[in-house]
């Protein structure tokens, strides 16, 4: 059996840290309080990457903290959100971000040749900027949660706080790289308007695509030469998924881990919106390992009680999960059900390994959205125990999946599957 570190080293760069510098948060309120605290202590730099930023008191508090750090310490601050989701109802008003200055509204190249500029669901269908990480000096918060009040209350997600200058340097580098590729979309205008950037940057973005792989030399960046302490007991592998640049590190990692596993191994995979790609289905069919998958019940799905066609989306995910269960012999499927809570946690657990981040491991994540995940492999026994406790805390609210979908969803799934 090939170890996960050997497999992942062929996909992404390895960054070593000490396990005691990784802190796992359990609750949305801990996530909220940590973001407020870290954003208030920034002295040098901050990077925010999210699908959107909400309009609640917490979100405004974080923005105000960053504005204060710019004024007091001349900090280097950059924010990237999606062009469409970030500007429709529920997203922060752009004028509130103006004081930060370096704000990029990311629009996927799928829309770049159209004249469709209005915020809304139509603009989000073909793909969004879905990466979630929150960097404050040398502290990196990796999560699947957006900066919005619904993620600070009763919505279960995952949240890791990692103290590592090398990881922070690395993410800053790629944040700048992704920002450069985003020039094919929109910049934040001086007078609270967006304008098209130069078309020539599309070619520049394609030229940059190879840099996302670990084999492209980037040692000319002095801060990236030292990728962590040699005696670090934990390895982090940052992974990106940018379909329009043919970057699929997350899909590759899942495939390698599942296919190379033997019958003695057990995996637990979770997704807030489970509609697996054909590639993942094939990996689940052929893996020798036992795989337990946790998805939300219909009531715990983020689209539950949504208006119009959105109200059928939870049913379609339920149906997709049941079809996966039927076609994959080594898979057990569970649904998270907790009164008053929704489920948004995504990740993979296996022995001393976990993967977390923005990807739901579904067809959208594979073919449409820009994603960021981190794989973590540790020899730190205390961290192993905490990872297992985190996994078991999700299983505590999980039960065998119920056949709950409405029959009409079976008609809609073939047409909507590639967007889910």
């Amino acid at each position: 059996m090939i170890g996960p570190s050997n497999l992942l080293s062929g996909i992404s760069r390895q960054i070593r840290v000490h396990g005691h510098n990784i802190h796992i948060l359990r609750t949305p309120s801990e996530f909220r309080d940590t973001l407020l605290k870290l954003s208030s202590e920034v002295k040098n730099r901050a990077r925010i990457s999210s699908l959107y930023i909400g309009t609640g008191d917490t979100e405004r508090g974080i923005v105000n903290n960053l504005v204060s750090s710019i004024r007091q310490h001349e900090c280097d601050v950059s924010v990237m959100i999606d062009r469409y989701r970030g500007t429709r109802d529920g997203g922060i008003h752009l004028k509130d971000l103006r004081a930060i200055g370096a704000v990029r509204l990311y629009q996927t190249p799928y829309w770049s040749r159209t004249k469709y500029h209005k915020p809304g669901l139509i603009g989000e269908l073909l793909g969004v900027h879905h990466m979630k990480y929150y960097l404050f000096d040398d502290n990196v918060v990796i999560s699947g949660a957006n900066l919005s009040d619904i993620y600070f209350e009763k919505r279960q997600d995952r949240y890791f706080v990692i103290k590592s200058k090398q990881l922070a340097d690395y993410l800053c580098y790629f944040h700048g790289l992704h920002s450069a590729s985003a020039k094919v979309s929109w910049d934040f205008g001086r007078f609270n308007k967006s304008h098209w950037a130069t078309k020539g940057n599309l070619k520049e973005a394609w030229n940059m695509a190879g840099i996302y792989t670990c084999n492209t030399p980037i040692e000319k960046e002095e801060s990236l030469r030292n990728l962590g302490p040699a005696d670090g007991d934990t390895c982090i592998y940052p992974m990106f998924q940018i379909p329009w640049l043919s970057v699929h590190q997350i899909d590759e990692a899942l495939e390698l881990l599942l296919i190379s596993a033997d019958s003695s191994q057990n995996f637990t995979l979770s997704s807030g919106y489970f509609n697996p790609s054909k590639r993942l289905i094939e990996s689940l069919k052929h893996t020798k390992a036992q795989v337990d998958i946790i998805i939300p019940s219909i009531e715990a799905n983020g689209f539950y009680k949504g208006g119009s066609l959105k109200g059928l989306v939870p049913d379609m995910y339920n149906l997709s999960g049941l079809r996966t269960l039927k076609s994959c012999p080594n898979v057990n499927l569970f649904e998270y059900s907790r009164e008053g809570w929704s489920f948004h946690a995504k990740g993979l657990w296996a022995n001393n390994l976990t993967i977390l981040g923005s990807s739901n491991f579904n067809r959208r994540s594979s073919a449409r959205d820009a994603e960021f995940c981190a794989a973590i492999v540790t020899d730190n026994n205390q961290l192993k125990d905490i990872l297992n406790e985190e996994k078991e805390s999700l299983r505590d609210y999980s039960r065998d999946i119920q056949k709950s979908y409405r029959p009409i969803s079976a008609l809609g799934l073939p047409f909507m599957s590639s967007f889910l």
Side-chain angles (χ1 to χ4, degrees):
M1 180 180 66
I2 302 175
S5 291
N6 291 331
L7 292 171
L8 295 168
S9 293
I11 295 173
S12 173
R13 286 178 178 263
Q14 180 189 89
I15 299 175
R16 286 190 171 273
V17 300
H18 295 292
H20 62 259
N21 285 328
I22 297 178
H23 182 49
I24 300 176
L25 310 178
R26 292 290 185 84
T27 66
S29 58
E30 283 185 280
F31 176 55
R32 176 198 63 209
D33 295 344
T34 298
L35 290 176
L36 285 169
K37 180 178 184 295
L38 292 177
S39 63
S40 69
E41 298 172 346
V42 173
K43 297 292 190 296
N44 299 304
R45 60 184 176 181
R47 299 290 185 273
I48 302 293
S49 177
S50 186
L51 177 63
Y52 69 102
I53 300 176
T55 58
D57 291 341
T58 298
E59 303 93 288
R60 292 183 183 278
I62 293 169
V63 171
N64 290 337
N65 287 342
L66 294 178
V67 171
S68 296
S69 71
I70 292 172
R71 292 173 178 168
Q72 295 178 19
H73 306 290
E74 297 184 351
C75 291
D76 176 17
V77 179
S78 176
V79 174
M80 195 181 325
I81 58 177
D82 186 67
R83 165 73 182 95
Y84 291 109
R85 181 61 186 93
T87 54
R88 71 173 167 92
D89 292 343
I92 196 167
H93 300 296
L94 295 183
K95 64 181 180 181
D96 297 323
L97 292 175
R98 188 152 115 194
I100 291 180
V103 177
R104 184 62 48 78
L105 306 178
Y106 197 101
Q107 176 177 298
T108 73
Y110 295 136
W111 282 114
S112 293
R113 296 183 181 181
T114 75
K115 294 183 179 180
Y116 186 87
H117 309 325
K118 296 179 180 180
L121 287 173
I122 293 177
E124 299 165 42
L125 277 177
L126 291 188
V128 295
H129 170 79
H130 200 242
M131 300 181 186
K132 288 84 178 269
Y133 54 82
Y134 310 102
L135 185 155
F136 309 98
D137 291 332
D138 293 340
N139 295 292
V140 179
V141 181
I142 301 175
S143 180
N146 293 298
L147 289 189
S148 175
D149 53 3
I150 63 172
Y151 293 89
F152 303 140
E153 296 172 357
K154 292 185 176 182
R155 174 167 286 197
Q156 185 62 58
D157 216 304
R158 301 181 70 197
Y159 332 89
F160 281 40
V161 184
I162 304 172
K163 186 172 182 61
S164 166
K165 181 180 184 302
Q166 290 75 27
L167 178 62
D169 289 346
Y170 197 77
L171 266 183
C172 280
Y173 177 81
F174 279 99
H175 186 97
L177 184 69
H178 197 53
S179 293
S181 69
K183 289 180 182 178
V184 302
S185 53
W186 296 78
D187 280 328
F188 184 66
R190 180 179 177 186
F191 297 105
N192 205 30
K193 296 179 181 178
S194 297
H195 61 274
W196 284 108
T198 59
K199 295 180 180 179
N201 285 304
L202 179 58
K203 183 177 180 181
E204 177 186 351
W206 276 102
N207 291 337
M208 290 177 178
I211 304 178
Y212 284 90
T213 69
C214 63
N215 297 321
T216 302
I218 54 175
E219 283 75 12
K220 62 182 180 181
E221 296 291 328
E222 184 176 352
S223 61
L224 301 179
R225 292 175 186 167
N226 177 13
L227 297 185
D231 62 344
D233 56 15
T234 301
C235 297
I236 300 174
Y237 301 88
M239 299 184 296
F240 297 89
Q241 194 128 301
I242 308 173
W244 48 90
L245 297 182
S246 298
V247 177
H248 296 279
Q249 290 177 319
I250 299 169
D251 284 352
E252 291 168 10
L254 278 178
E255 182 179 60
L256 278 174
L257 290 168
L258 289 170
I259 295 300
S260 64
D262 60 35
S263 58
S264 68
Q265 290 184 271
N266 292 281
F267 290 92
T268 297
L269 185 146
S270 71
S271 171
Y273 306 105
F274 187 66
N275 180 40
S277 65
K278 292 181 180 179
R279 184 174 186 173
L280 179 54
I281 286 287
E282 289 301 309
S283 298
L284 291 172
K285 282 181 179 179
H286 294 102
T287 184
K288 295 178 181 177
Q290 185 69 45
V291 183
D292 295 338
I293 300 176
I294 303 173
I295 66 174
S297 66
I298 285 182
E299 295 77 14
N301 190 287
F303 288 95
Y304 182 59
K305 291 186 176 180
S308 63
L309 290 177
K310 287 196 293 183
L312 283 174
V313 169
D315 299 71
M316 294 182 193
Y317 282 119
N318 178 264
L319 174 57
S320 177
L322 288 167
R323 287 180 175 176
T324 302
L325 180 63
K326 186 176 180 179
S327 64
C328 301
N330 288 349
V331 167
N332 297 316
L333 197 57
F334 304 92
E335 58 182 20
Y336 183 96
S337 180
R338 184 178 182 185
E339 175 129 16
W341 283 66
S342 59
F343 183 76
H344 200 252
K346 39 260 197 176
L348 182 77
W349 294 260
N351 298 325
N352 64 336
L353 160 77
T354 192
I355 295 176
L356 79 152
S358 66
S359 176
N360 281 292
F361 314 124
N362 58 19
R363 293 185 66 175
R364 276 200 70 95
S365 298
S366 293
R368 298 192 179 279
D369 298 341
E371 307 281 9
F372 169 74
C373 283
I376 299 175
V377 181
T378 185
D379 291 326
N380 184 293
N381 289 326
Q382 184 177 7
L383 182 56
K384 289 180 191 177
D385 291 341
I386 295 173
L387 287 173
N388 187 61
E389 290 170 7
E390 181 203 26
K391 176 189 69 178
E392 292 302 320
S393 70
L394 299 181
R395 297 186 68 122
D396 287 343
Y397 291 99
S398 300
R399 65 192 183 197
D400 289 343
I401 189 169
Q402 309 294 310
K403 184 178 178 180
S404 308
Y405 66 88
R406 289 168 284 181
I408 192 174
S409 62
L411 300 176
L413 186 58
F415 301 99
M416 290 297 297
S417 185
S418 66
F419 300 104
L420 297 177

